[in-house]
Amino acid sequence: MTRMIIAGAQLGPIQKADSREAVVARMIDLMNMAADKGAGLIVYPELALTTFFPRWYMPDWNEVDTWFEREMPNGATMPLFERARELGMAMTFGYAELTPEGRRFNTSILTNRKAEIVGKYRKVHLPGHDEYDTERAFQHLEKRYFEPGDLGFNVWRNEGAIMGMAICNDRRWPETYRCLGLQGVELVTIGYNTPAVNSQMNAEGLEKRLFHSDLSLQSGAYQNATYVVGVAKAGLEDGHPLIGGSIIVDPDGFVLARAETEEDELIWADCDFDKCAFGKTTIFDFARHRRVEHYGRITSQTGAIVEV
Amino acid sequence: MTRMIIAGAQLGPIQKADSREAVVARMIDLMNMAADKGAGLIVYPELALTTFFPRWYMPDWNEVDTWFEREMPNGATMPLFERARELGMAMTFGYAELTPEGRRFNTSILTNRKAEIVGKYRKVHLPGHDEYDTERAFQHLEKRYFEPGDLGFNVWRNEGAIMGMAICNDRRWPETYRCLGLQGVELVTIGYNTPAVNSQMNAEGLEKRLFHSDLSLQSGAYQNATYVVGVAKAGLEDGHPLIGGSIIVDPDGFVLARAETEEDELIWADCDFDKCAFGKTTIFDFARHRRVEHYGRITSQTGAIVEV
């Protein structure tokens, strides 16, 4: 039996002027709270160390690179790794990764209880656009600042459970969960920064945005019989609002814990990974029920093709 | 602009002793009600003409075949087709199909406003089992009585909108909606017969069963920016309870109409198919955002493979 208290560490807003060191201090505060709850794993948001910089158009790539990390851990994040090691707590968080070859990815890492990095994921589904868009209320330049992830969807057996990662917009794509589900995933961790306003439809309010986040996380959990933890960076970053709504979802798709604020806030749930087995061996026993001979379009075709 | 009032015609229970003619009379009553609402299309459940016979183990295949239709329309259903033609209403319903070659499928058909059959679908994701199961509270022998559908997931432009069909358990599989979404679907019609009790987990109550149905229909709609209509056969069939919960879902995943009873009940909604365009051209613009190079497992691998 593998059972673990999982914590979701929602972060409130990070302003452009805030240093990584200040953010890491906040992350350590949340980690200490998680330790008090007995957590074995703590999940932080996407791009946890900085403001959500893809909302800003920066023509100067030297300026862009100030938002990226060249190694992990590094000087700013070492205290987080050290505290995790002291507490014996696994963790996952997101950051902007600049590789030695000069490639840029929206990345997350997973550590074990010794604070050793056991897994890395690079965001596959980049939303937004790659050039300045005069039509938008604000920019969402992920396609400019990042390459699509090149590592695919992988799982790791970490501290007894089969874990996979995804990032933000990945959570809206059922392919994400299915690729992990086909590897037996029991816990999917997903950090996000989601604007509270649709830059292309101002009338779409916060309530609808939260509904879509929940719907995606809950259906992904149910349809793959896995726990899913979605963790937000939330609140008003330099005037730009981000949704909160961090949740922990069980393998039946039910919400076990939900953040109530748009600030730094810890949520947690006692997760019994054996509970994944029922769905995986009955209604979602893939080997018995899936019919891949009819799924061809999913991999042979990228965009919609209307032929009727 | 294509706009149409879509009706969902939930059917209450059909007992083993009920004749097809009696059921067709109920279907016509619902069709007349739909005409009063101005409906252009009416959606009936899976296996709409008979009780949900896969709950019964029948060793005698001659008895099995009494539940199947050898042609469509046939004598029993002709009055339904005639009334649809008079009213100028398109329709879709499910039935057990026995082909001239002796093959058996769980099938649905789609007609246009002239009551001409324009599309046929055969259920791909058959739930349940193929031999008598002593461990179950009741039987679910779809894998015994039907072959998996051999036609795949197709769409038809019918009365101005791009329509696709799925049946019952298909609705829990995101592959279903995605295969249709990749063909630009604007309306997915899904009839179902879902036991109110999980034959393998008695404690799973009605509320959870309805939640899972909603979750699947709503996420499928949202993630493919399509209307989805899910229509139940509901209530107590010879002592066996079926969930109701028929709903019409908009391309944002919101429920527009919901059945409140477990009886014959009509729901309807005014569907503006142009509303599918926003999602299909922004967040779910597949051509811009999907990354098929990382989806390989979805089609290359049927069952889960745990390698960690």
Side-chain angles (χ1 to χ4, degrees), chain A residues 124-129 143 148-153 155-157 162 169 171-175 178-179 181-184 198 200-201 204 208 211-212 215-216 218-219 222-223 252-254 278 282-292 294-299 301-306 308, chain B residues 124-129 143 148-153 155-157 162 169 171-175 178-179 181-184 198 200-201 204 208 211-212 215-216 218-219 222-223 252-254 278 282-292 294-299 301-306 308:
Chain A
V124 164
H125 297 99
L126 297 172
H129 50 110
K143 286 192 195 288
D150 61 345
L151 302 175
F153 295 102
V155 301
W156 299 269
R157 190 176 293 270
I162 302 174
N169 180 49
R171 75 191 187 283
R172 304 182 195 278
W173 298 82
E175 291 88 347
R178 186 62 96 226
C179 288
L182 283 164
Q183 299 169 81
N198 187 328
Q200 297 172 289
M201 186 185 271
E204 183 179 292
K208 186 185 277 193
F211 166 72
H212 286 159
L215 184 61
S216 299
Q218 291 180 269
S219 58
Y222 166 60
Q223 292 172 336
D252 262 327
F254 285 92
F278 181 72
T282 58
I283 195 165
F284 295 116
D285 180 344
F286 294 159
R288 292 189 64 228
H289 301 307
R290 295 181 78 244
R291 306 298 316 184
V292 297
H294 295 306
Y295 301 161
R297 287 181 189 274
I298 294 174
T299 49
Q301 180 182 327
T302 299
I305 299 176
V306 179
V308 295
Chain B
V124 164
H125 297 99
L126 297 173
H129 50 110
K143 286 193 195 287
D150 61 345
L151 302 175
F153 295 102
V155 301
W156 300 270
R157 190 176 294 270
I162 303 175
N169 181 48
R171 75 191 187 283
R172 305 182 194 277
W173 298 83
E175 291 89 348
R178 186 63 96 225
C179 288
L182 283 163
Q183 299 170 80
N198 186 329
Q200 298 173 287
M201 186 185 271
E204 184 180 291
K208 186 186 277 192
F211 166 72
H212 286 158
L215 183 62
S216 299
Q218 291 180 271
S219 58
Y222 166 59
Q223 292 173 337
D252 262 328
F254 286 91
F278 180 74
T282 59
I283 195 165
F284 296 116
D285 180 345
F286 295 159
R288 292 189 64 229
H289 301 307
R290 294 181 79 243
R291 307 297 318 183
V292 297
H294 296 305
Y295 301 161
R297 287 182 190 274
I298 294 174
T299 48
Q301 179 182 327
T302 299
I305 299 176
V306 178
V308 295

Side-chain angles (χ1 to χ4, degrees), chain A residues 142-160:
Chain A
E142 288 194 58
K143 286 192 195 288
R144 175 177 178 84
Y145 298 135
F146 304 114
E147 292 179 49
D150 61 345
L151 302 175
F153 295 102
N154 300 299
V155 301
W156 299 269
R157 190 176 293 270
N158 190 30
E159 305 301 341

Side-chain angles (χ1 to χ4, degrees), chain A residues 10-59:
Chain A
Q10 179 172 290
L11 288 172
I14 300 174
Q15 311 307 330
K16 272 180 114 166
D18 293 344
S19 70
R20 287 169 172 76
E21 287 75 11
V23 175
V24 166
R26 289 162 57 185
M27 294 170 76
I28 290 174
D29 285 347
L30 287 159
M31 185 178 278
N32 289 332
M33 290 170 59
D36 286 343
K37 306 300 177 189
L41 171 73
I42 186 167
V43 181
Y44 296 100
E46 172 194 35
L47 299 176
L49 305 174
T50 67
T51 195
F52 185 67
F53 65 84
R55 74 169 66 89
W56 307 108
Y57 179 73
M58 295 172 276

Side-chain angles (χ1 to χ4, degrees), chain A residues 57 129 131-141 200:
Chain A
Y57 179 73
H129 50 110
E131 291 296 340
Y132 189 84
D133 183 349
T134 57
E135 300 294 309
R136 288 177 185 249
F138 53 91
Q139 302 298 298
H140 198 120
L141 289 157
Q200 297 172 289

Side-chain angles (χ1 to χ4, degrees), chain A residues 87-251:
Chain A
L87 293 170
M89 195 182 304
M91 66 175 170
T92 171
F93 66 88
Y95 63 97
E97 177 190 13
L98 179 59
T99 74
E101 300 76 28
R103 302 177 68 186
R104 296 176 188 82
F105 297 100
N106 188 337
T107 295
S108 61
I109 48 118
L110 174 68
T111 67
N112 62 17
R113 287 180 185 262
K114 296 176 187 167
E116 297 162 340
I117 294 174
V118 295
K120 177 185 277 193
Y121 171 72
R122 290 168 171 163
K123 185 174 182 176
V124 164
H125 297 99
L126 297 172
H129 50 110
D130 58 6
E131 291 296 340
Y132 189 84
D133 183 349
T134 57
E135 300 294 309
R136 288 177 185 249
F138 53 91
Q139 302 298 298
H140 198 120
L141 289 157
E142 288 194 58
K143 286 192 195 288
R144 175 177 178 84
Y145 298 135
F146 304 114
E147 292 179 49
D150 61 345
L151 302 175
F153 295 102
N154 300 299
V155 301
W156 299 269
R157 190 176 293 270
N158 190 30
E159 305 301 341
I162 302 174
M163 301 185 184
M165 291 181 275
I167 298 178
C168 196
N169 180 49
D170 287 321
R171 75 191 187 283
R172 304 182 195 278
W173 298 82
E175 291 88 347
T176 299
Y177 306 91
R178 186 62 96 226
C179 288
L180 296 171
L182 283 164
Q183 299 169 81
V185 76
E186 297 171 322
L187 173 66
V188 182
T189 61
I190 306 178
Y192 60 89
N193 286 257
T194 299
V197 177
N198 187 328
S199 64
Q200 297 172 289
M201 186 185 271
N202 198 37
E204 183 179 292
L206 176 62
E207 192 182 353
K208 186 185 277 193
R209 307 280 281 171
L210 285 169
F211 166 72
H212 286 159
S213 184
D214 282 3
L215 184 61
S216 299
L217 295 166
Q218 291 180 269
S219 58
Y222 166 60
Q223 292 172 336
N224 295 279
T226 178
Y227 287 92
V228 172
V229 182
V231 178
K233 182 137 64 63
L236 209 60
E237 289 194 341
D238 291 300
H240 294 273
L242 297 169
I243 69 168
S246 303
I247 54 176
I248 301 174
V249 185
D250 78 10

